[in-house]
Amino acid sequence: MEDREKLNRLRWRCTRRAMLEMDLLLGEFLDRIFPTLTPGQADAFVTLADMEDLELWPLVTGSRECSDLVQAEVLALLRDVRVK
Amino acid sequence: MSKLTIPVRKFDAVIVGAGGSGLRAAIQLSEAGLKTAVLSKVFPTRSHTVAAQGGVSASLGNSEEDHWHWHMYDTVKGSDWLGDQDAIEYMCRKAPEVVVELEHFGMPFDRTDEGKIYQRPFGGHMSNFGEKPVRRACAAADRTGHAMLHALYQRNVRANTQFFVEWMALDLIRDDSGQVLGVIALEMETGEVVAFHAKATIFATGGAGRIFYSSTNAFINTGDGLGMAARAGIPLEDMEFWQFHPTGVAGAGVLITEGVRGEGGILRNSANERFMERYAPNAKDLASRDVVSRAMVTEINEGRGCGPNKDFVLLDITHLDPATIMKRLPGIREISIQFAGIDPIKAPIPVVPTCHYQMGGVPTNYKGQVVAPDGTPVRGFYAAGEVACASVHGANRLGTNSLLDLLVFGKASGDSVIEDVQSGAIGLKELPENFADFTMARLKRLNTQTGGADVNETRLELQRTMQKHCGVFRFKDMLVDGVAKIVEIEKAVARTEIKDKSQVWNTARVEALELDNLIEVAKATMVSAEARKESRGAHVRDDAPDTAANPNGRDDVNWHKHTLWQREGNGLSYKPVIMTPLSVESIALKTRSY
């Protein structure tokens, strides 16, 4: 799959989610932060985006700990994306 | 017309949408041995049903005495007498059965100390025909929709339902007799366009809350089923009625469930006053959603809003035990921190009324069969959930009746399909020769458009127009202007242009196709709202005020009827409200007050 196709698939999966909260948060992250990630962090974000909203949400809020170090880095960046 | 060939897959039934109603319908069909395809734009457990936090209502009477007839009364009253009483009786009588059934599917409901399903109070739920609040909402913490979807999905996996994930349905297939023969759909991963030829087609595509700029709805809710139905000549019913949820987080639109007020949350204005005591002395903060929304907007309009711009009110739960908040409302605390920057244990949450739910939709009867204006079923076509208008919600939906609607009418539509297939009323009719022409022409137009309109800009224009001209309060002149504006926007939608012409994962194309659906819903809403010269339920007009002759602005003499909007010529017609229930006395018209 080409990079454009992969990015489009990721965009769909970030902005057509069950909850508006996650559409807003992941969509904003994809536009603003994703292009600045290292390849390892980008892979970690794809893994996180594949999770279900109510699985990912506690990781974003920090109410559940993430044992994967790279994913934890990405989550810290995601947590800082405050949608107003 | 030329004959365009596309691949054809044959099924007994095709269901479009894999939220609560689609999955509930699929269980009926798959367990009955029907070859069933479920199409979804996303993986099923990512459907918007997940976002339903509050609960599902059923008169189980686990905490105190309750009865389906009281539930029916509350629903009729909540609907401002626009709901059809046969469908409402059917839903409320079926509620205990479908909830217990869901429990057997593995739904992890909260429990009482005795091990029964825990039930909590909710806005508009009353005992003994409106006398006092009753505990009727069954919940799984504040994750009821999520838990329900998982229970239904697992049951479908067991029943071998066939899922087509990341497929978007584009158009209905109808023959000259009007019978529905399936849908044409687009696979996003390949760009391939395929016909799903079936004896029965069930729409379970959810609502279209994204027509408004400020909405609690996820981005997925683009009214695809409504757009497809409208393009196929099916009228849309009561589209002027949109529920604005009283408590969206100011700014983001993210929803704070009514369950917060069920657990004791209080709305306060800038003077720290519990203002709902003035508007609804009995139900107070638990009054029906439109009553609460109107009260909040009145407070803001009269200068008692909070914040530097006085443009929101506060939802206060600081008086609750933090342990109760952590146990019963953990998700709400997290949402408030992320989207309002406020921990509700320490400070109240800024909230405003936000578009939340579509009461109207594709007209159906209480069996989930889509019906023509004269009430006769459209052969081969069924609908359930938010896309459908049974009509159980009328002019205003009672909280927790949405999840109930999914279960009851998802199941009913499945049962109707089984009955119609087994009786031979519907079969696999041959596809008309030109069945794909219309859809392929739409796709070709989009692929070859030059000098056209930008999809994102056009959608934003549509959403802002709906918000400004057709929001929670409506004004005659704004509605008239709104109709003219939306007709102009339709012209832009007809010439949208996408730069990306590729086949694989072309999300620009999908978004343009979603906009084709949004515009149909926006037109239906604006035209229907402009025409209805009264206030009823969620449709509140400035020029239809509260008078002795028309309490709350409701004009039963002229407007106690359902709207039917037809795409052809933006035409309107009307049909009577069904006032005769299935087995009990009619609940006669009276003024709605809480």
Side-chain angles (χ1 to χ4, degrees), chain B residues 398-453:
Chain B
L398 203 64
T400 74
N401 268 355
S402 58
L403 288 183
L404 181 61
D405 173 350
L406 306 183
L407 293 173
V408 170
F409 295 107
K411 183 179 180 183
S413 64
D415 283 339
S416 291
V417 168
I418 293 166
E419 194 180 317
D420 291 347
V421 167
Q422 287 176 349
S423 72
I426 54 171
L428 204 62
K429 279 178 81 176
E430 200 174 330
L431 292 172
E433 209 171 60
N434 61 353
F435 75 92
D437 286 5
F438 177 72
T439 308
M440 298 313 279
R442 284 178 63 212
L443 292 170
K444 186 180 173 191
R445 196 285 303 161
L446 189 56
N447 261 358
T448 55
Q449 181 74 50
T450 54

Side-chain angles (χ1 to χ4, degrees), chain B residues 25 56 70 73 120 195 225 320 342 361 427 435 444 446 448 527 563:
Chain B
V56 52
W70 300 346
Y73 178 84
R120 61 184 173 205
L320 298 185
I342 280 168
F435 75 92
K444 186 180 173 191
L446 189 56
T448 55
V527 171
T563 305

Side-chain angles (χ1 to χ4, degrees), chain A residues 1-2 4-28 46-64 75 77-84, chain B residues 41-43 45-51 53 142-143 146-147 150 166 168 188-189 210 215-222 250-255 331 334-335 337-341 459 500 502-508 510-511 514:
Chain A
M1 200 180 272
E2 291 175 14
R4 179 202 63 82
E5 293 162 4
K6 280 186 191 165
L7 188 62
N8 276 356
R9 184 177 65 181
L10 183 59
R11 184 171 301 283
W12 184 255
R13 291 177 184 177
C14 284
T15 59
R16 291 298 184 284
R17 306 184 67 92
M19 293 159 60
L20 172 65
E21 294 88 316
M22 301 309 271
D23 287 338
L24 292 168
L25 203 58
L26 297 190
E28 192 132 333
V46 172
T47 305
L48 290 169
D50 273 343
M51 290 181 180
E52 283 190 27
D53 286 355
L54 294 188
E55 200 183 341
L56 179 56
W57 183 245
L59 294 174
V60 172
T61 59
S63 64
R64 215 182 90 204
L75 286 166
L77 295 169
L78 201 49
R79 203 167 298 143
D80 285 343
V81 179
R82 286 290 160 91
V83 181
K84 288 278 172 134
Chain B
K41 291 200 287 188
V42 296
F43 192 78
T45 52
R46 286 189 176 198
S47 303
H48 193 50
T49 303
V50 165
Q53 302 165 329
D142 54 4
R143 299 176 174 206
H146 170 88
H150 274 259
E166 291 171 340
M168 182 182 180
M188 295 182 207
E189 192 180 351
R210 297 310 305 180
S215 173
T216 67
N217 282 204
F219 292 174
I220 199 170
N221 287 7
T222 53
V254 173
L255 180 127
E334 289 154 7
I335 283 167
I337 290 170
Q338 189 79 33
F339 295 96
R459 183 179 51 237
D500 184 356
S502 61
Q503 286 297 302
V504 177
W505 274 109
N506 187 337
T507 45
V510 174
E511 287 179 1
E514 287 181 331

Side-chain angles (χ1 to χ4, degrees), chain B residues 224-269:
Chain B
D224 300 339
L226 300 156
M228 286 188 277
R231 284 192 295 276
I234 308 278
L236 303 182
E237 181 173 343
D238 291 341
M239 290 304 295
E240 61 271 46
F241 297 99
W242 289 82
Q243 187 168 70
F244 280 70
H245 196 288
T247 53
V249 172
V254 173
L255 180 127
I256 302 290
T257 174
E258 204 156 13
V260 171
R261 281 173 287 138
E263 295 290 348
I266 292 169
L267 288 161
R268 297 187 188 281
N269 60 19

